[in-house]
Amino acid sequence: MTPVASERPPIAAILALGLTQIIGYGTLYYSFSILALDMARGLDWSAEWIFGALSAALLIGGLAAPAMGKWIDRFGAGRVMTLGSAIAAIALAGCAFAPGKVAFVIALIAVETASNLVQYGAAFALLVQIRPQVAQRSITYLTLIGGFASTIFWPITAALHAHFSWQSVYLIFATINLLVCLPIHTWLARSAGHRGTGEKSGATRRIEPSLPAAARTPAFILMVTGFALESFVNAALLVHMVPVMSALGLGAMAVMVGTLFGPSQVMSRFINMVFGGSLPQLMLAVISAVLLPAALVILLLTAPSVPGAVVFAVVFGLGSGLSSIVQGTLTLALFGSEGYGQRQGKVMSARLAVSSTAPFALAFLMGNIGVSWSLSITAGLGAAAVAALLAIRPLMRMPVAAQTALARGEP
């Protein structure tokens, strides 16, 4: 048995990170949709403006992601996540105590910036830094746990909001980040030590790139393009899923069908955990990318059929669930563990920059050209994501002569 095969994932770290991911996504992202209307009323804003503020915050947070990736490589992901928990608590409290719109937007930007320090991107990097040889399995296990964030925090947020103002709910969430997540991240930082992904801590601890050196830059561009387009499709439909199905004639059943999305995400991660170990990460990435536009085509061809909408929600959830995994594991498989944090920061920046515009873009399209044409365009973007990821495959088998020509910039 090889050392890689015998090495086990760091279960304690995965479980601890799983808890902080549920809290991080639940308090910093999923809670917003429940509290947004109350926020808008308190700030004397329309619902469109409050979601516009969130889009701006996501965009600015995404632009800061590459710098955060460098910090992860330099100082270690555990330390960065510890800092992120402190910033998240302060930022949530800042939103709660904001005296006006400008202060609220600044605090919201801080919330979304902090989220990049504590959510999947940083957590994946920490797992790579702890045990890179089994990081792909560890990331799969972590996303399986993190997939319950919306299932847990949507009802928690709604229950709290039934008794407290949105400001009080945010203060409760700030306390949770301070008293639960910060100590866990501090413990993980001490367990991992000062171990950046760029540190050469021994050949046995590193994952080597599977791509030839000359192919890495074009492959990275293709991967980022594919992930960004995939994130656009995912983000656009997540926000508009129920309104889209209602507009296609499903009426009240749209809400019931939409509830299948979350369980389908978790199911795809469980299936991958059990059966996906032998599949190359690029193949998993292509499968996840194919499922998203395929789901939209199913919806367009079958609407207003309820069984067709059910298949759409399940297939879309399967693709979205796999996407969360491969966006962490494909980077590791193609480019290795050295510099992983910085690469993930660049990937996250592109994804957030594109996906932050998706809800508005789809709403604009639906208002001007109708739902069917809007979904067709979105499906086309999803197909382009598939094409970008498929184009990486030939680069992995590039002949030596072609590698030399590419390195020299020759056609």
Side-chain angles (χ1 to χ4, degrees), residues 270-302:
F270 179 77
I271 293 172
N272 180 63
M273 181 182 71
V274 176
F275 301 107
S278 60
L279 291 176
Q281 295 306 307
L282 182 57
M283 182 179 293
L284 283 174
V286 171
I287 291 172
S288 71
V290 166
L291 288 173
L292 297 183
L296 294 179
V297 172
I298 290 170
L299 181 63
L300 284 169
L301 293 178
T302 62

Side-chain angles (χ1 to χ4, degrees), residues 14-98:
I14 293 169
L15 292 174
L17 277 174
L19 176 59
T20 68
Q21 292 308 287
I22 289 173
I23 294 172
Y25 277 97
T27 61
L28 304 177
Y29 184 72
Y30 288 116
S31 65
F32 190 88
S33 62
I34 304 295
L35 304 174
L37 293 180
D38 196 14
M39 290 175 177
R41 283 191 292 267
L43 293 167
D44 195 23
W45 263 351
S46 66
E48 289 78 8
W49 274 105
I50 202 72
F51 280 104
L54 177 63
S55 293
L58 287 168
L59 177 60
I60 295 172
L63 295 176
M68 296 173 191
K70 292 180 180 179
W71 299 347
I72 287 171
D73 281 342
R74 181 175 180 182
F75 301 110
R79 293 182 177 181
V80 170
M81 295 185 80
T82 302
L83 175 64
S85 294
I87 296 175
I90 294 170
L92 287 168
C95 284
F97 289 121

Side-chain angles (χ1 to χ4, degrees), residues 109-120:
I109 291 170
V111 168
E112 297 309 325
T113 302
S115 69
N116 292 331
L117 299 176
V118 299
Q119 291 176 352
Y120 276 157

Side-chain angles (χ1 to χ4, degrees), residues 99-306:
K101 299 175 182 177
V102 174
F104 174 82
V105 171
I106 292 172
L108 189 61
I109 291 170
V111 168
E112 297 309 325
T113 302
S115 69
N116 292 331
L117 299 176
V118 299
Q119 291 176 352
Y120 276 157
F124 293 168
L126 180 57
L127 292 174
V128 171
Q129 290 171 3
I130 293 173
R131 290 184 193 168
Q133 299 291 354
V134 292
Q136 291 182 1
R137 272 190 289 159
S138 299
I139 289 171
T140 299
Y141 298 156
L142 179 63
T143 57
L144 182 64
I145 300 171
F148 290 98
S150 61
T151 305
I152 292 173
F153 263 88
W154 272 336
I156 286 178
T157 304
L160 288 172
H161 194 214
H163 298 89
F164 302 103
S165 66
W166 73 264
Q167 291 94 334
S168 297
V169 174
Y170 259 22
L171 289 175
I172 293 170
F173 288 166
T175 303
I176 294 173
N177 277 273
L178 196 62
L179 298 184
V180 178
C181 295
L182 191 146
I184 290 176
H185 291 153
T186 301
W187 168 68
L188 289 169
R190 290 174 179 172
S191 300
H194 184 65
R195 189 185 297 153
T197 52
E199 294 187 25
K200 296 176 178 60
S201 53
T204 58
R205 291 200 56 83
R206 295 173 57 192
I207 298 293
E208 297 299 328
S210 61
L211 284 165
R216 290 173 200 167
T217 297
F220 187 76
I221 293 171
L222 287 168
M223 184 186 72
V224 170
T225 300
F227 284 165
L229 291 173
E230 200 175 344
S231 294
F232 180 95
V233 176
N234 201 20
L237 266 294
L238 277 179
V239 172
H240 295 292
M241 184 175 291
V242 173
V244 161
M245 288 191 290
S246 297
L248 289 173
L250 275 88
M253 286 300 298
V255 176
M256 295 295 296
V257 172
T259 60
L260 297 173
F261 171 80
S264 299
Q265 273 194 311
V266 175
M267 182 172 66
S268 72
R269 293 166 184 173
F270 179 77
I271 293 172
N272 180 63
M273 181 182 71
V274 176
F275 301 107
S278 60
L279 291 176
Q281 295 306 307
L282 182 57
M283 182 179 293
L284 283 174
V286 171
I287 291 172
S288 71
V290 166
L291 288 173
L292 297 183
L296 294 179
V297 172
I298 290 170
L299 181 63
L300 284 169
L301 293 178
T302 62
S305 164
V306 173

